[in-house]
Each structure stands twice: as structure tokens, then as C-alpha cells.
Amino acid sequence: MDTKIVMVDENKLDKDIMQKAGEVIRSGGLVVFPTETVYGLGANALDTKAVKKIFEAKGRPQDNPLIVHIADVEEIEALVSEVPELAKKFMERFWPGPMTIILPKSSVIPDVTSASLPCVGIRMPSNIIARELIRAAKVPIAAPSANISGRPSPTDVQRCVEDLSGKVDYIIGGKICDIGLESTVIDCTTQPTCVLRPGGITLEMLKEVDENTYIDPAVMIKPEKDFKPKAPGMKYRHYAPKAPVKIVQGDLKKTIEKINKIVQNYIDENKVVGIMATDETMEYYSKGVIISLGSRENMISVSHSLFETLRKFDDEKVDVIISEAFEEKGVGVAVMNRLKKSAGFDIINV
Ligand code: TXA
Ligand code: MG
């Protein structure tokens, strides 16, 4: 398949391009587009055949439901059977933005989109290109992250091109995604509200709307073999670069000492080691490929660069990646959730 790749400036939207891309969606094609979280791989959420193409292009397991993206709040009415008062409060506070709400689905949502679940995830992104695409398509857009299943989600259009060129009709490039981690997924089908996937909207922020909101305990622990999480996507090995990832967790000074020891051992075996460091710790490493995720004082900068850094280590063809850990509070919860999954829960405590 020929993939058309176009760059769009969100401050000067090219209406023609957006119109054409919208028509591609409406006629059953696949379009990659930027959002404020990660790039999405979109299709008409109401078209079974089109949605099936998403699963094929990504190599995504059929039992993993997709998030349905809307441009305006009113569009949710047709897609769900009920919007509880509490869900309305979350929507008012955090939409448009990086939050997905799970609600009981209406009959217009095909089984393939919700992976036959009785509920559906709805999100209204804040990214202008994403919103204009949905408006131009005149249909809600089902979109997972625009990566091959299992790989780190793309935050830069070049990574979408690497993974999906030749498999989709259209790739719209915008700027690098602000948040860099996928949306916070909250389940509003039951009370209290449960966070199924942590993201840029943190637990602390959600609690300002409903103080009983809690994070599904399954989010931060290694899944048992036959474990069935509430968000089916959370059971798969995810966000994985080609090289194995190991996390060193504990006191920062001890972490640096331990990482330096591990790095030396790998170098003695003639291996190329990547170190995922931070601005505060960079200077304490001298061997291997050292990349900083940003400052520990600014966890959004860390979340912004996590997936891209994992992919950079692949470009450098490292044999193994050693990462520092982060405190599990605020956005750090989402960062550690993705990092642990990318490492397959290979954690060394110091
Ligand atoms: O930020 C995002 O949410 C991005 C951008 C493109 O909007 N999309 C994204 O989609 O991350 P995806 O497919 O990579 O992740 C969707 C997650 C999965 O963990 C899935 O299991 C969960 O949301 N999910 C979707 N629908 C659900 C449902 N009905 N019930 C429970 N979990 C659901
Ligand atoms: Mg994904």
C-alpha cells in the first residue's frame, strides 16, 4: 500500500489536507495522526471492516479494545448508553485532554471496537490536528497508539513512519507529543472510579473531582500467568525496545553505584550498554551510551521523553538498557507503570 505522508503545522492548519484525511477515514481507510499523548492509528470507530484493519496493521491481539476519539462533548451521547453525573464532572474538568472514560456502550459501537466488552473507552483529545481530523471525518475515530504492537508508543512522527509506512493510507505529522505517555484510563461503570491505566492526568488530580478514586492495584505489579485485568491491554508485554530493559530501584546514590557495576560487567563481556539516566545523575556515569530522560524535578519532561529514549537505544543498537527508577507519585506513577512493563518487571532493588 502507498502511504501518503504529510506534515501539518497546528498553528496554520491546512484545511485541504485535513479534509482529504477525513475522507480517507470516512471511506474506511487508516490515518496516523498526532495527539497530546502519543500518535494514534485511526479508523472509523463505527465501521467493523475499517477497525479490523487497525488490528492487522499493528499486529494487535483481538481481545484488546480500542479507545474511541471524539471532537466535541455532545458526540458521547450516541456512543454510550448512559453518562453518570460523576463521569460528566470528570469530562468537564479534564476534556479536552489526556483522559479516557470507560462507560457502558451503545449499540452503535461494533464488537470489534470494544473487543466484545459491554463498555467502551471514550476520549476527547486536546490536540488541534486530532480534533480537526475527527470533525473532517464526521465519525468518531477508534485509535490505538500508532506503533507495531508491543513496541514503545510513538511520540515523533518519524517513529510512526518506521513502524507503519506501507500499512496505512495516510500519516499526518505534527509536533512531538507533549505528554509522551498514553491517556489516563478511568472506569466510570462502577463506583468508586477506578484508574485502569495511569497517565498525565494523575490520581491526585482525579481525586479533586472524586476523592474516592483509586488506582487498580494490578497496575503496578507483575501480572500472574492467568491474570485477567480490567483493561485487557495491560496484560501484554508492552512498550518494549529490542534490547532487554533492567530497572535499578532504591536510594539514588546506591542506584548509581549499582548501575556502574552492572555496566562494567557488561562491558567486560563486550556488550554495548545503554544507561537511562536523569539530568541530576548524568555526570556520575562515564561508560556506555548515556541518555538523560530530563530532570527529576520535572516529571512531565521525563514522561515526554521516555518512549523516544527507549527507541533511541534501539537506534544505537545497545545489547541491554539499564534504567534508574522514579518515585511513584504524580506523573511518576505512569512513568513507572510504562517502565516496569518495558522491562518485563526485571527490577533490581538496592
Ligand atoms: O492516549 C491514548 O489513549 C492513545 C491516543 C492515540 O489517544 N491511545 C491509546 O490506545 O493508548 P491503546 O489502544 O494503545 O490503549 C488503550 C488501552 C488499553 O490498555 C485497553 O485495554 C484499554 O485502553 N481499554 C480500551 N477500551 C477499554 C474498555 N472498554 N474496557 C477496559 N479497558 C479498555
Ligand atoms: Mg498502545
Side-chain angles (χ1 to χ4, degrees):
M1 179 194 294
D2 263 355
T3 301
K4 194 171 167 53
I5 302 169
V6 289
M7 292 302 293
V8 172
D9 178 349
E10 58 180 66
N11 298 312
K12 250 193 332 215
L13 273 193
D14 185 324
K15 292 262 169 191
D16 256 14
I17 291 178
M18 298 314 299
Q19 219 46 50
K20 278 195 194 114
E23 271 158 32
V24 170
I25 295 272
R26 204 165 49 250
S27 59
L30 298 182
V31 177
V32 168
F33 61 97
T35 85
E36 69 278 19
T37 57
V38 299
Y39 274 76
L41 164 57
N44 179 352
L46 309 181
D47 178 345
T48 297
K49 256 172 99 181
V51 172
K52 277 192 178 149
K53 290 189 199 165
I54 293 180
F55 286 87
E56 279 160 26
K58 281 192 58 131
R60 181 179 175 103
Q62 298 282 343
D63 67 349
N64 194 3
L66 302 177
I67 293 170
V68 176
H69 297 68
I70 58 176
D72 295 284
V73 175
E74 304 76 59
E75 292 162 46
I76 197 171
E77 298 291 336
L79 306 175
V80 304
S81 61
E82 192 203 339
V83 186
E85 280 310 308
L86 194 52
K88 280 188 193 147
K89 285 193 186 148
F90 282 117
M91 285 155 48
E92 268 163 33
R93 180 70 180 270
F94 300 115
W95 277 0
M99 178 191 69
T100 297
I101 292 192
I102 309 287
L103 289 171
K105 73 168 187 171
S106 79
S107 58
V108 301
I109 303 285
D111 278 344
V112 62
T113 302
S114 68
S116 300
L117 292 173
C119 51
V120 62
I122 312 279
R123 167 159 127 77
M124 182 166 123
S126 60
N127 181 288
I128 302 291
I129 299 174
R131 298 261 289 287
E132 276 309 305
L133 177 67
I134 301 164
R135 288 198 181 114
K138 300 192 178 71
V139 287
I141 297 184
S145 47
N147 51 280
I148 296 292
S149 226
R151 303 262 305 135
S153 303
T155 54
D156 181 333
V157 67
Q158 205 43 47
R159 302 305 184 179
C160 306
V161 174
E162 276 171 27
D163 276 20
L164 295 172
S165 188
K167 297 180 171 178
V168 301
D169 299 281
Y170 227 90
I171 295 180
I172 303 177
K175 62 183 175 90
I176 293 174
C177 303
D178 290 331
I179 296 176
L181 299 179
E182 305 86 348
S183 61
T184 303
V185 178
I186 60 172
D187 184 357
C188 285
T189 62
T190 53
Q191 282 213 27
T193 311
C194 178
V195 178
L196 303 185
R197 180 175 71 181
I201 306 288
T202 63
L203 179 65
E204 292 82 347
M205 292 158 81
L206 295 165
K207 275 179 180 283
E208 286 172 23
V209 173
D210 171 13
E211 62 172 12
N212 297 319
T213 307
Y214 69 103
I215 299 185
D216 182 351
V219 161
M220 299 313 271
I221 53 169
K222 185 174 178 171
E224 299 282 324
K225 216 161 165 245
D226 297 320
F227 174 65
K228 279 209 181 72
K230 283 185 230 150
M234 301 304 275
K235 72 171 177 255
Y236 294 105
R237 171 120 200 260
H238 249 119
Y239 321 118
K242 288 173 189 140
V245 181
K246 289 176 190 293
I247 304 168
V248 178
Q249 188 166 38
D251 171 78
L252 201 52
K253 197 161 162 265
K254 285 189 188 150
T255 296
I256 295 166
E257 279 167 22
K258 182 73 179 176
I259 291 182
N260 277 319
K261 264 193 205 137
I262 298 173
V263 168
Q264 190 56 54
N265 287 343
Y266 278 115
I267 288 174
D268 291 345
E269 294 171 17
N270 286 321
K271 298 251 168 74
V272 183
V273 195
I275 305 174
M276 204 140 71
T278 45
D279 291 356
E280 289 80 1
T281 59
M282 281 284 275
E283 60 177 303
Y284 300 103
Y285 304 112
S286 56
K287 295 176 182 164
V289 180
I290 308 156
I291 307 180
S292 171
L293 285 171
S295 169
R296 290 178 168 273
E297 300 290 309
N298 181 0
M299 284 306 288
I300 283 284
S301 79
V302 172
S303 80
H304 175 80
S305 51
L306 178 66
F307 287 145
E308 180 55 24
T309 304
L310 289 171
R311 283 182 179 249
K312 280 198 184 111
F313 283 120
D314 277 348
D315 297 344
E316 298 281 342
K317 300 199 166 48
V318 302
D319 296 302
V320 59
I321 301 165
I322 318 291
S323 181
E324 295 173 3
F326 296 89
E327 201 184 338
E328 287 173 19
K329 74 163 205 244
V331 182
V333 176
V335 168
M336 283 307 289
N337 166 263
R338 306 308 194 276
L339 194 53
K340 283 177 178 176
K341 281 177 183 290
S342 73
F345 290 86
D346 188 347
I347 303 166
I348 301 154
N349 287 298
V350 291

